[in-house]
Amino acid sequence: MSLGKEGRMQNETPHNPYTQIIKKQQDDLVLAYMPALRAMAFRLKERLPSNIDVNDLISVGVEEMIKLSRRYDKEQNDNFWGFARKRVNGSMLDYLRSLDVMSRNNRKIIKDIDNLINEYYQEHECEPDDEYLAKKLDLELDKIKEVRTAHAISYTLPIDEQMELYNEDDTLEKIEKEELIDKINEVLDDLKERDKLIIQLYYYEELNLKEISEILEISESRISQIHKKLLKKLRERLS
């Protein structure tokens, strides 16, 4: 009997109070910074289409933050959120990338949509609705909505990835990542102050179109048009 008991004890994982304490401290870190994570997710959600669920962003962020809590060393990093923030944000962007936002076919449709919107805006100073675009392009309404949703999601990606999304040849692919970012910064330096400010507020300060509109006292529709033209100008310069 006693041998059997000893055999069972050898096969069981011993209870380690220290390990349990460490795990609780790691879990407490995640709980302590949940408000910061939720604020990040909701901030990102403000720049995304309505059909993207903020809870999905939060879930992705929590999963990443749990992993990071296991690696966090307070001796090297005195603030957990400072250690985790960029990585958590990156995990949310990775999730958005995984939605396959810009297929090659969608890119062509987006260009057609952009051309139509530009023409319409010149005449009416506002953007047309999806029904108008569907009729003009002879596409199903659902397809127009799908592509415009993908387009809106792609706007949340870093600006260097924006350039790559619209690239028709392999010009940008031949440019190393760091070199590409340097070239983009050079182009941005040549922009007018207002145009540069729009890029800075949207991509670096992570403001949404409504907030930028209030700061610059320009309509959201106009901000959107300027944004698209700026991206087109950047692509042309880089190519």
Side-chain angles (χ1 to χ4, degrees):
M1 291 286 292
S2 60
L3 287 175
K5 183 178 179 181
E6 288 176 3
R8 287 196 303 272
M9 290 179 65
Q10 289 174 356
N11 290 328
E12 291 173 357
T13 301
H15 178 71
N16 188 331
Y18 180 73
T19 301
Q20 293 299 314
I21 291 172
I22 294 296
K23 186 177 184 302
K24 184 179 184 306
Q25 290 175 343
Q26 292 168 341
D27 292 343
D28 286 346
L29 268 180
V30 175
L31 291 173
Y33 287 96
M34 275 301 297
L37 185 148
R38 288 178 60 83
M40 175 185 284
F42 276 98
R43 189 71 176 171
L44 182 56
K45 169 60 183 157
E46 289 177 354
R47 306 167 68 211
L48 293 167
S50 58
N51 64 317
I52 301 298
D53 191 342
V54 70
N55 290 314
D56 290 338
L57 297 174
I58 292 172
S59 177
V60 168
V62 168
E63 184 177 342
E64 181 66 18
M65 199 153 67
I66 290 172
K67 293 177 184 176
L68 292 170
S69 73
R70 305 311 188 235
R71 293 162 42 196
Y72 176 62
D73 182 354
K74 63 182 179 181
E75 297 298 325
Q76 296 185 20
N77 302 274
D78 57 4
N79 180 278
F80 175 67
W81 188 239
F83 165 75
R85 184 179 182 278
K86 285 187 177 180
R87 295 172 176 85
V88 171
N89 184 66
S91 71
M92 293 181 186
L93 293 180
D94 285 342
Y95 165 72
L96 294 174
R97 293 184 190 98
S98 74
L99 300 178
D100 191 24
V101 294
M102 293 295 282
S103 67
R104 186 170 295 276
N105 182 50
N106 282 354
R107 294 184 200 189
K108 181 183 183 307
I109 297 174
I110 276 294
K111 288 188 178 182
D112 293 338
I113 288 176
D114 279 347
N115 290 334
L116 270 178
I117 290 176
N118 286 334
E119 292 173 7
Y120 191 93
Y121 192 92
Q122 292 300 319
E123 185 175 349
H124 304 282
E125 294 195 358
C126 64
E127 292 196 2
D129 57 26
D130 290 344
E131 287 78 5
Y132 174 89
L133 296 171
K135 182 177 180 180
K136 283 288 188 178
L137 295 176
D138 193 25
L139 292 170
E140 295 291 332
L141 182 59
D142 286 346
K143 183 61 178 178
I144 294 293
K145 291 180 177 178
E146 172 198 326
V147 172
R148 297 198 78 178
T149 294
H151 194 35
I153 292 174
S154 72
Y155 271 4
T156 64
L157 301 180
I159 194 167
D160 55 307
E161 293 185 32
Q162 280 284 296
M163 298 298 98
E164 292 172 344
L165 279 174
Y166 289 93
N167 188 40
E168 290 183 334
D169 53 37
D170 62 351
T171 304
L172 300 184
E173 293 176 5
K174 292 177 181 177
I175 303 176
E176 292 293 333
K177 190 83 167 180
E178 291 183 5
E179 184 183 353
L180 173 60
I181 293 173
D182 288 341
K183 287 181 179 294
I184 290 173
N185 287 331
E186 289 175 9
V187 174
L188 291 177
D189 285 340
D190 293 337
L191 295 178
K192 296 178 181 177
E193 285 303 315
R194 185 193 63 176
D195 295 348
K196 191 188 301 183
L197 184 57
I198 289 173
I199 292 294
Q200 180 181 351
L201 292 175
Y202 193 85
Y203 287 100
Y204 298 99
E205 301 300 328
E206 298 183 356
L207 301 187
N208 58 36
L209 293 182
K210 182 179 180 182
E211 291 168 327
I212 298 173
S213 172
E214 291 172 353
I215 291 171
L216 300 182
E217 298 182 346
I218 307 173
S219 70
E220 289 182 52
S221 182
R222 183 59 181 152
I223 294 284
S224 177
Q225 285 300 300
I226 293 172
H227 181 209
K228 290 172 184 175
K229 287 183 178 180
L230 289 176
L231 290 179
K232 182 179 180 182
K233 186 185 297 185
L234 285 169
R235 292 195 302 272
E236 289 172 350
R237 288 280 299 275
L238 290 172
S239 297

